[in-house]
Amino acid sequence: MTELSAAHDAAVTDRGRLAGSAYKSDRDLAARQSLYRWQTPRYDLPGLVAEQLSGVHGRVVDVGCGNGKFIQRLRRDRPELALLGLDIAPGIIAGVPGPVAVADATRLPLATEGVDAALALHMLYHVPDIPQAVRELSRVVAPDGLVIASTNSDRDKVQLDDLWQRAAGDVLGTGHGPARISLSARFSLEKAPAFLGEEFGHVEVIELPGTITVHAPEPVIAHMASYRAWADQHDVPFEAAIERARTIVVDHIAQHRAFEVTCLGGILVCRR
């Protein structure tokens, strides 16, 4: 691991940064979530998770529940389930319908085999000790239960990576700027099965490829700006790079009528 990647890993997993900035409210998470409104095909991710839980009855915990997007959907579609949301950031769960609690994924405040299913959706890459978090998920889920995780591919949104490097290079006057930080790199769709396979004998990967097409710069720029909690990791004046990216996208849309971003995320359904 290079010194730079080690610093990025530390920043992605720093609890103070996560709870005090990145997820202090749902502003930045909501900006990242909202970009998918322009994706084709459209995936109803909460609906897909609910579908995977169709055979589950009883207790479900959403570890790293964030702004409650999945909990709220399950409360509507599966009111008979006993749902608990856990997150390390008190601010982001303030508006989530209870019960919710502040908790660490590596030390879950749950009894062994105490739930029938556990969700870990787009969050395991923020955990410093991913294997320990997977062991905890395995510990708290009943023997016939399941764990559903999700993350993005290493090949996800490469156009935004290229856009950032071009914008950063223009701001720095270097032509090609430093790479932007990747949140999911530590637990990408390519790496996740090996982590999860240490505890679960069957890990099904459901890939969700798509293309985001925007005709105005705002959704893309809001997504890129949502990384402001890690602005110090980019080795470039963050706001200046964001504004330069806006100009690049505006020019691209004027020339090509749209700006496209290819996406690849996925769900991992784990059973013993």
Side-chain angles (χ1 to χ4, degrees):
M1 180 182 293
T2 66
E3 183 178 342
L4 179 61
S5 62
H8 281 188
D9 283 359
V12 167
T13 60
D14 180 72
R15 182 167 183 163
R17 189 188 300 256
L18 295 173
S21 180
Y23 301 105
K24 184 176 182 180
S25 72
D26 84 332
R27 176 188 62 174
D28 292 339
L29 177 59
R32 290 195 287 279
Q33 291 170 337
S34 68
L35 185 62
Y36 293 96
R37 292 188 303 193
W38 287 270
Q39 179 174 290
T40 305
R42 285 285 296 274
Y43 296 106
D44 176 13
L45 197 54
L48 291 173
V49 170
E51 182 181 326
Q52 292 296 330
L53 293 173
S54 60
V56 172
H57 304 279
R59 297 151 297 182
V60 177
V61 61
D62 186 352
V63 180
C65 66
N67 57 8
K69 179 179 178 182
F70 295 90
I71 284 180
Q72 292 178 52
R73 179 63 171 272
L74 289 170
R75 289 201 191 286
R76 190 192 81 185
D77 291 0
R78 297 288 308 279
E80 78 282 6
L81 291 175
L83 297 170
L84 171 65
L86 301 176
D87 203 282
I88 63 165
I92 205 167
I93 61 174
V96 179
V100 294
V102 175
D104 188 322
T106 61
R107 297 188 301 274
L108 294 174
L110 300 169
T112 298
E113 300 180 5
V115 298
D116 300 285
L119 310 179
L121 304 170
H122 278 78
M123 56 73 61
L124 281 169
Y125 40 72
H126 284 312
V127 179
D129 189 344
I130 296 173
Q132 174 58 22
V134 172
R135 286 191 290 271
E136 276 290 270
L137 291 169
S138 177
R139 178 185 68 80
V140 302
V141 171
D144 60 347
L146 76 160
V147 167
I148 303 175
S150 66
T151 188
N152 292 324
S153 166
D154 290 324
R155 306 189 306 279
D156 180 63
K157 302 185 188 71
V158 293
Q159 292 84 359
L160 295 191
D161 296 331
D162 293 343
L163 174 62
W164 172 265
Q165 289 190 291
R166 180 180 168 189
D170 288 351
V171 168
L172 295 173
T174 58
H176 192 69
R180 71 175 187 148
I181 196 166
S182 171
L183 299 186
S184 57
R186 299 176 63 250
F187 185 79
S188 65
L189 203 57
E190 290 78 10
K191 297 172 184 170
F195 280 114
L196 296 165
E198 289 295 317
E199 292 290 328
F200 299 95
H202 180 75
V203 178
E204 177 189 4
V205 180
I206 303 171
E207 292 191 352
L208 303 172
T211 302
I212 290 168
T213 305
V214 299
H215 301 280
E218 284 74 18
V220 164
I221 299 307
H223 184 282
M224 295 187 75
S226 75
Y227 284 71
R228 59 176 59 85
W230 295 279
D232 63 319
Q233 296 296 307
H234 290 90
D235 300 319
V236 64
F238 185 76
E239 296 299 336
I242 292 295
E243 285 309 307
R244 179 57 189 153
R246 180 190 298 275
T247 300
I248 293 170
V249 174
V250 167
D251 291 346
H252 185 96
I253 291 172
Q255 183 175 354
H256 301 283
R257 299 187 177 182
F259 186 87
E260 291 190 346
V261 180
T262 55
C263 300
L264 180 57
I267 297 172
L268 302 104
V269 183
C270 312
R271 293 180 172 85
R272 289 192 174 80

